[in-house]
Amino acid sequence: MPAVRKLGIVMDPIESIKPWKDSTLAMMLEAQARGWQLYYFMLEDILLDNAIAMGDFRTLAVHDDNEHWFDFLDAGRCRLDELDVILMRKDPPFDLEYIYCTHILEQAEENGVLVVNRPASLRDCNEKLFTRVFPQCCVETLVSRKSANLKAFIAQHRDVIVKPLDGMGGQSIFRVQAGDLNTNAIIEAVSKHGRSQTMAQRYIPEIRDGDKRILLIDGVAVPYALARLPAAGENRGNIAAGASTRGQPLSERDQWLCDQVGDELRARGLLFVGIDVIGDYITEINVTSPTCIRELDRDFGLNISADLFECIERRISA
């Protein structure tokens, strides 16, 4: 009989997830259904011992049950290169501890483990700055620490979104219009008084139709998007900020945007990515822990995790 395949998952505390919407749980359920053994790690469980990547693991059984979605089984320590695949699914903040972990995972990768997504690309592809590689897909954008530069951009474009480069879930995202008396305070807060690079993007009024999350597996788009519609009185299309959701087929423009980025994602070893699209433009490229699998699966009878694991199994078989 073939050996049981082993999947490592680096993630946030599993007891704290929302199982009905958690994409990492969907991935684990699919792996378990395929007979894979699940090895669970948190960031602090990853270590380097004399240049050998190691991890303090707990094996898991997972359940599609909103009240009881996991059981811990065994515990121990293993070399990470004893695993077949590692999913790096730790949510931001993308801080130095996250970066250190990618270096250790890269050691495991060099010893033959498939890490999804590639550790070097997790470091290189900031989810907001990575859009710079695809200027044909993006709205007018400025990145600067200087208040004067940001204020000049606001004066030029009149209606602007200002956000930090390291946020998630809609945190610290502001809409600023020319003449807003809070402009200085917003720029000071987001840029940490000029200590942090800050992104300004021309406001896209089509946000009223939703901030679309499109998932790509090895550079190929899932044919449906999840539009996240801002709550009343909100500018942010983030579920964490109270947005409602609506599944919809990709438009011709959506597919064009995916075609523009697909080859680059494949080249960088970014097997599972979520792009955020407002109107005709990509606003972010999410490479760390993209979500919305379960919502799209429910809306359209899909099994996106199965498509991902078909891709993974082709990679490790090759």
Side-chain angles (χ1 to χ4, degrees), residues 15-314:
E15 61 271 17
S16 68
I17 68 172
K18 298 179 174 63
W20 59 91
K21 65 185 291 293
D22 193 84
S23 292
T24 305
L25 178 61
M27 294 176 186
M28 291 191 287
L29 287 165
E30 177 61 28
Q32 180 176 267
R34 291 169 179 257
W36 290 50
Q37 192 168 11
L38 306 180
Y39 289 73
Y40 164 83
F41 307 92
M42 293 193 296
L43 216 60
E44 59 264 34
D45 297 322
I46 304 300
L47 63 143
L48 196 64
D49 186 355
N50 291 317
I52 299 172
M54 308 284 291
D56 295 326
F57 68 82
R58 282 174 285 182
T59 54
L60 280 178
V62 289
H63 318 287
D64 195 4
D65 182 334
N66 291 337
E67 301 299 324
H68 177 211
W69 57 91
F70 74 97
D71 289 299
F72 288 129
L73 304 175
D74 297 327
R77 176 172 290 185
C78 68
R79 291 175 59 124
L80 294 185
D81 58 18
E82 295 173 357
L83 306 173
D84 295 285
V85 179
I86 298 172
L87 299 178
M88 178 48 160
R89 293 286 300 173
K90 173 71 176 68
D91 283 342
F94 189 89
D95 54 14
L96 282 173
E97 288 302 315
Y98 188 104
I99 291 171
Y100 299 151
C101 187
T102 67
H103 285 292
I104 299 173
L105 293 178
E106 195 167 29
Q107 184 70 38
E109 181 185 53
E110 290 172 0
N111 288 341
V113 181
L114 176 63
V115 182
V116 181
N117 286 315
R118 181 179 294 162
S121 294
L122 290 175
R123 293 195 300 272
D124 290 346
C125 301
N126 175 274
E127 302 193 328
K128 296 173 177 65
L129 284 178
F130 190 30
T131 57
R132 68 180 172 76
V133 179
F134 312 102
Q136 73 276 23
C137 301
C138 300
V139 75
E140 295 90 335
T141 301
L142 174 76
V143 177
S144 178
R145 288 171 56 166
K146 292 185 176 181
S147 176
N149 293 339
L150 294 164
K151 287 193 284 188
F153 186 86
I154 294 166
Q156 178 186 0
H157 294 287
R158 312 299 296 172
D159 200 350
V160 168
I161 295 295
V162 175
K163 56 188 174 182
L165 295 182
D166 61 352
M168 66 168 290
Q171 296 173 358
S172 300
I173 294 178
F174 294 90
R175 181 181 178 186
V176 185
Q177 295 174 303
D180 190 328
L181 297 179
N182 291 311
T183 298
N184 286 335
I186 290 169
I187 291 173
E188 289 169 4
V190 178
S191 73
K192 299 180 175 65
H193 292 271
R195 295 191 301 273
S196 295
Q197 294 282 6
T198 296
M199 176 173 279
Q201 293 175 318
R202 177 173 63 79
Y203 176 73
I204 306 169
E206 288 82 3
I207 184 64
R208 63 178 176 270
D209 300 318
D211 181 349
K212 291 175 284 187
R213 166 60 56 84
I214 303 173
L215 298 176
L216 297 95
I217 297 172
D218 204 17
V220 178
V222 173
Y224 300 94
L226 190 73
R228 298 161 297 179
L229 302 148
E234 265 286 358
N235 294 307
R236 299 172 295 175
N238 302 87
I239 296 173
S244 59
T245 63
R246 180 186 65 219
Q248 59 192 55
L250 298 190
S251 68
E252 185 175 336
R253 173 70 178 188
D254 293 337
Q255 187 59 61
W256 180 85
L257 293 171
C258 294
D259 293 342
Q260 296 297 298
V261 305
D263 288 344
E264 186 70 21
L265 300 181
R266 277 189 292 275
R268 292 177 181 257
L270 294 167
L271 262 66
F272 189 68
V273 171
I275 64 171
D276 291 343
V277 174
I278 301 174
D280 289 337
Y281 303 101
I282 295 175
T283 58
E284 294 188 15
I285 302 175
N286 297 272
V287 303
T288 51
S289 55
T291 60
C292 298
I293 284 179
R294 307 213 81 181
E295 294 91 337
L296 287 169
D297 281 354
R298 280 194 295 266
D299 285 356
F300 298 105
L302 306 176
N303 187 343
I304 294 169
S305 297
D307 296 336
L308 174 62
F309 272 88
E310 288 293 326
C311 175
I312 287 172
E313 290 182 344
R314 286 195 298 270

